[in-house]
Amino acid sequence: MTVRAITFEGLSDGREHLALSLGEPQAVPLVRLHSECLTGDVLGSLRCDCGPQLREALTRIHDRGGYLVYLRQEGRGIGLYNKLDAYRLQDEGQDTYTANLSIGRRADERDYTAAAEILRVLGTAEIDLLTNNPDKVRQLTSLGIRIRHAVPTGAHVNPNNYRYLSAKVSETQHTIDIEGMAL
């Protein structure tokens, strides 16, 4: 798989985000905005679906042509240490969103302004967005990015992340089909 890494300076949030160009991007490329998840992407945690979604996205984008925008907003934007604190509360029975609130953070602090800036630099006025998250569609649309299609990812369910995925569906209306997958 040939991958071209594209770096950016001067983004509105000052962070070091990365775009990976995979395959031959079409006029309307397939794009995945993927928020950094050290525990899932690198360490293989089964608590979330981040690692499997990342691997799926890389394959699907490479096959069709497009971009993976890797955003440095760990733990839905609350940072690694806060995310680990929230994990403790999840172990005590709170869902992922309530745990964030319990440690004094918002349920989801991600802002996709830098992602929209990146997409404009890449010349992508219209995209097919690989996501189950309706907030990504709403934010990008409000930032002037046209979404032709929201393309769902697979449901990467296991016994360790079922509650997490259920919360994503019930709390933030993610389009993950987990019915009948109780483990």
Side-chain angles (χ1 to χ4, degrees):
M1 175 184 309
T2 301
V3 178
R4 185 170 57 105
I6 305 160
T7 60
F8 302 87
E9 290 182 13
L11 295 172
S12 59
D13 65 2
R15 293 184 177 160
E16 294 180 331
H17 304 293
L18 184 69
L20 301 177
S21 176
L22 299 123
E24 291 296 322
Q26 307 299 308
V28 179
L30 182 61
V31 172
R32 166 85 179 156
L33 305 182
H34 189 85
S35 295
E36 175 180 43
C37 178
L38 176 71
T39 54
D41 297 344
V42 177
L43 302 177
S45 173
L46 298 175
R47 295 178 76 117
C48 63
D49 58 345
C50 300
Q53 278 189 336
L54 177 60
R55 289 186 294 282
E56 174 191 355
L58 289 168
T59 299
R60 289 177 70 180
I61 295 168
H62 179 266
D63 290 347
R64 173 153 158 215
Y67 302 99
L68 183 123
V69 179
Y70 197 82
L71 300 167
R72 304 299 303 275
Q73 43 190 13
E74 179 80 44
R76 273 193 224 97
I78 68 171
L80 179 61
Y81 294 168
N82 284 317
K83 177 176 141 178
L84 295 175
D85 289 342
Y87 272 5
R88 182 182 46 78
L89 296 173
Q90 290 171 39
D91 289 343
E92 295 171 4
Q94 292 187 22
D95 70 51
T96 183
Y97 299 100
T98 304
N100 283 8
L101 296 171
S102 293
I103 62 169
R105 303 306 297 250
R106 294 192 318 268
D108 189 336
E109 296 187 9
R110 291 177 293 184
D111 179 312
Y112 297 105
T113 302
E117 293 167 351
I118 288 168
L119 293 171
R120 279 193 280 283
V121 168
L122 295 173
T124 56
E126 182 177 32
I127 65 172
D128 287 341
L129 184 63
L130 185 58
T131 189
N132 298 321
N133 183 349
D135 187 49
K136 287 181 185 178
V137 174
R138 279 191 295 275
Q139 284 197 45
L140 284 180
T141 300
S142 74
L143 293 162
I145 303 297
R146 288 189 309 274
I147 311 295
R148 184 175 70 173
H149 299 292
V151 181
T153 69
H156 302 283
V157 183
N158 68 60
N160 299 292
N161 72 8
Y162 183 79
R163 281 184 52 235
Y164 168 80
L165 295 175
S166 295
K168 287 171 77 169
V169 170
S170 65
E171 298 297 321
T172 53
Q173 291 69 54
H174 278 59
T175 56
I176 306 168
D177 184 11
I178 59 172
E179 290 300 314
M181 293 189 178
L183 304 171

